[in-house]
């Protein structure tokens, strides 16, 4: 074989290897372009889904199968509070209809409170009272207060906050449940989500009521999250915690925050580690296409809720990096990843034309589906992620 032919064969072989690596091992990232107008439309469409699919009692369609045109039933108190919170986030930027829909969700929550000693908690059934449902209700009411200046819920916010404090242990760990039959907290029961939710809720309470002492339990929980939670509660790998990111963001601007280094050293290390977790997951998700052989190599595209929580984490950590000089090197990577998530979410949301071809457009338009199924928290987390990306998009040329 001549030298020229051998070189040609070698080049072809290397091109083939590179192609296999590109398609099979390292497929390209796909971050659809997204504009401010695209993001605003996506948020408005998600609010519309909640408005159309809210029941008379303030609850929402929980789980829907578009292929079968079937309401799959079920409900979840924590997710009800989460949806209410997300709608109040939308109300803060004056998205039409968001506040009214959220208020109906709040009415349902406040009609279903469990009270004990000096606190209140959100739970229609008093048997298993979760910390998470109350924490997200507090977060929602704090966003409502910030958006409207209306103090109508101040007293109940304090009652709900006292439940969160009662569930917080001296070292900063947060008990997940209160037993309505035994009338006591369930010892040793924790949640991968509720600790971050309680942290965020208490930081917001301190922001709204800076003289009420909510910062002390919030700081305890924040330190626990940054230094002990994952090892103490046995989470391997560490939890990628979007709720903690929300809480960290509030601490950078709450009363008394250091303008240059608002986080503790431990929190700064934790924020950087959390940024890495989310960034890796977004990179992987952006390589998924649902086509063969990509789906075999990378798996199917994730839930709207799954992708949304990554966007919330990145969108929550972006202002943290902007505020703390030790994290300045993360500002642009976080922004890039958060915008990538927003682009994927806008691209994957069911638009009006797509919905028109389904059995019930009111239940499909503005939603995010996986395997023809959507759940109300798909809309919640996706909408919040797009909302958090808006300030980044607005600052870009």
């Amino acid at each position: 074989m001549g030298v020229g032919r051998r070189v040609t064969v070698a080049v072809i072989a290397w091109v083939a290897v590179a192609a296999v690596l590109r398609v099979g091992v390292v497929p390209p990232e796909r971050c659809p372009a997204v504009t401010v107008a695209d993001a605003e439309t996506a948020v408005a469409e998600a609010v519309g889904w909640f408005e159309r699919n809210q029941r008379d009692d303030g609850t929402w369609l929980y789980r829907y199968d578009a292929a079968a045109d079937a309401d799959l039933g079920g409900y979840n108190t924590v997710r009800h509070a989460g949806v209410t919170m997300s709608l109040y986030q939308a109300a803060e930027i004056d998205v039409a209809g968001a506040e009214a829909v959220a208020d109906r969700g709040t009415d349902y929550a406040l009609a279903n409170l469990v009270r004990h000693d000096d606190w209140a908690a959100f739970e229609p059934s008093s048997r298993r009272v979760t910390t998470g449902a109350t924490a997200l209700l507090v977060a929602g009411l704090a966003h409502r207060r910030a958006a409207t200046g209306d103090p109508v819920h101040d007293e109940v916010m304090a009652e709900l906050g006292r439940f969160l404090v009662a569930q917080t242990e001296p070292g900063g760990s947060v008990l997940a449940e209160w037993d309505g039959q035994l009338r006591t907290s369930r010892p040793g029961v924790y949640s991968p989500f509720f600790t971050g939710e309680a942290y965020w809720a208490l930081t917001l309470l301190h922001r709204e009521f800076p003289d009420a002492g909510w910062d002390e339990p919030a700081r305890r929980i924040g330190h626990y999250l940054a230094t002990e939670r994952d090892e103490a509660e046995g989470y391997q790998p560490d939890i990628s915690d979007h709720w903690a990111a929300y809480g960290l963001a509030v601490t950078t601007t709450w009363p008394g925050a250091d303008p240059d280094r608002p986080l503790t050293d431990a929190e700064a290390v934790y924020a950087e580690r959390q940024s890495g977790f989310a960034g890796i997951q977004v990179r992987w998700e952006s390589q998924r296409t649902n086509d063969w052989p990509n789906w075999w190599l990378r798996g199917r595209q994730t839930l709207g809720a799954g992708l949304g929580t990554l966007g919330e984490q990145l969108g929550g950590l972006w202002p943290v990096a902007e505020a703390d000089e030790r994290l300045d090197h993360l500002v642009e990577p976080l922004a890039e990843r958060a915008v990538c998530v927003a682009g994927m979410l806008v691209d994957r949301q069911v638009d009006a034309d797509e919905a028109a071809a389904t059995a019930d457009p009111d239940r499909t338009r503005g939603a995010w589906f996986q395997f023809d199924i959507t759940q109300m928290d798909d809309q919640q987390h996706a909408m919040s992620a797009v909302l958090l990306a808006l300030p980044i998009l607005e600052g870009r040329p």
Side-chain angles (χ1 to χ4, degrees):
M1 183 185 293
V3 173
R5 185 177 178 187
R6 288 200 303 271
V7 170
T8 300
V9 170
V11 169
I12 292 172
W14 276 111
V15 168
V17 169
V20 169
L21 288 172
R22 188 59 168 166
V23 174
V25 180
V26 190
E29 292 184 68
R30 293 173 174 82
C31 295
V34 59
T35 66
V36 170
D38 294 333
E40 290 175 339
T41 297
V43 170
E45 287 290 322
V47 170
W49 187 93
F50 286 118
E51 187 171 23
R52 292 189 303 273
N53 291 288
Q54 189 170 39
R55 302 185 177 102
D56 291 341
D57 66 352
T59 63
W60 287 276
L61 171 68
Y62 180 64
R63 188 172 172 85
Y64 174 69
D65 183 335
D69 188 23
D71 179 346
L72 300 180
Y75 211 66
N76 183 286
T77 303
V78 179
R79 288 172 179 150
H80 178 96
V83 166
T84 304
M85 175 279 300
S86 187
L87 286 162
Y88 281 132
Q89 287 179 319
E92 279 195 282
I93 63 166
D94 298 321
V95 177
E99 184 180 336
V101 180
D103 280 346
R104 290 194 288 274
T106 292
D107 289 344
Y108 171 81
L110 297 184
N112 288 280
L113 297 181
V114 174
R115 284 189 160 85
H116 180 73
D117 292 338
D118 65 343
W119 56 251
F122 169 36
E123 179 52 57
S125 167
S126 61
R127 287 178 172 272
R128 177 180 175 267
V129 181
T130 65
T131 306
T134 297
L136 292 181
L137 178 58
V138 168
L141 294 176
H143 276 286
R144 183 187 190 279
R145 192 176 193 274
T148 66
D150 184 357
V152 65
H153 297 308
D154 285 5
E155 184 176 338
V156 76
M157 287 174 70
E159 290 182 281
L160 296 167
R162 288 194 288 270
F163 171 68
L164 300 179
V165 174
Q167 292 292 97
T168 303
E169 297 181 301
S173 53
V174 177
L175 295 170
E177 299 176 8
W178 186 82
D179 191 314
Q181 289 185 306
L182 299 178
R183 312 293 284 176
T184 186
S185 299
R186 290 178 174 164
V189 178
Y190 304 99
S191 161
F193 309 111
F194 297 172
T195 304
E197 290 167 354
Y199 172 54
W200 181 36
L202 289 165
T203 64
L204 287 169
L205 282 173
H206 178 59
R207 186 192 71 183
E208 295 301 309
F209 310 102
D211 299 321
W214 300 112
D215 56 326
E216 190 280 326
R219 291 180 195 279
R220 266 191 287 141
I221 299 173
H223 182 74
Y224 176 73
L225 284 166
T227 62
E228 298 181 50
R229 189 270 301 272
D230 294 300
E231 183 175 353
E233 297 179 21
Y235 300 120
Q236 294 181 346
D238 292 356
I239 293 170
S240 185
D241 197 333
H242 58 292
W243 301 119
Y246 274 119
L248 288 171
V250 177
T251 67
T252 65
T253 59
W254 70 0
D258 185 306
D260 299 314
R261 294 192 169 198
L263 303 184
T264 66
D265 289 342
E267 288 168 349
V269 171
Y270 178 67
E272 181 153 13
R273 191 165 72 248
Q274 286 286 307
S275 300
F277 292 157
I280 289 169
Q281 292 176 87
V282 171
R283 185 177 297 275
W284 183 275
E285 180 63 27
S286 72
Q287 295 171 342
R288 289 171 162 171
T289 65
N290 281 353
D291 297 323
W292 171 265
N294 178 275
W295 70 261
W296 182 76
L297 296 162
R298 283 291 186 266
R300 294 289 190 180
Q301 291 178 347
T302 192
L303 300 163
L307 183 55
T309 57
L310 293 176
E312 287 177 283
Q313 186 172 357
L314 293 158
L317 290 170
W318 176 71
V320 174
E322 283 213 313
D324 196 300
E325 62 186 12
R326 291 165 295 183
L327 303 176
D328 183 67
H329 61 288
L330 295 177
V331 171
E332 184 52 34
L334 285 166
E336 178 189 340
R337 296 288 86 189
V339 168
C340 182
V341 171
M344 286 189 282
L345 287 170
V346 169
D347 185 60
R348 297 178 191 182
Q349 187 181 33
V350 177
D351 64 24
D353 290 338
E354 292 166 329
T358 65
D360 191 341
D362 282 347
R363 291 181 168 183
T364 55
R365 180 176 175 177
W368 285 266
F369 284 84
Q370 186 192 53
F371 306 121
D372 295 315
I373 305 294
T374 191
Q375 211 167 257
M376 68 182 194
D377 54 311
D378 290 316
Q379 281 64 266
Q380 170 205 333
H381 291 292
M383 181 171 71
S384 289
V386 176
L387 281 165
L388 290 179
L390 270 170
I392 302 173
L393 291 168
E394 289 167 348
R396 296 197 159 195

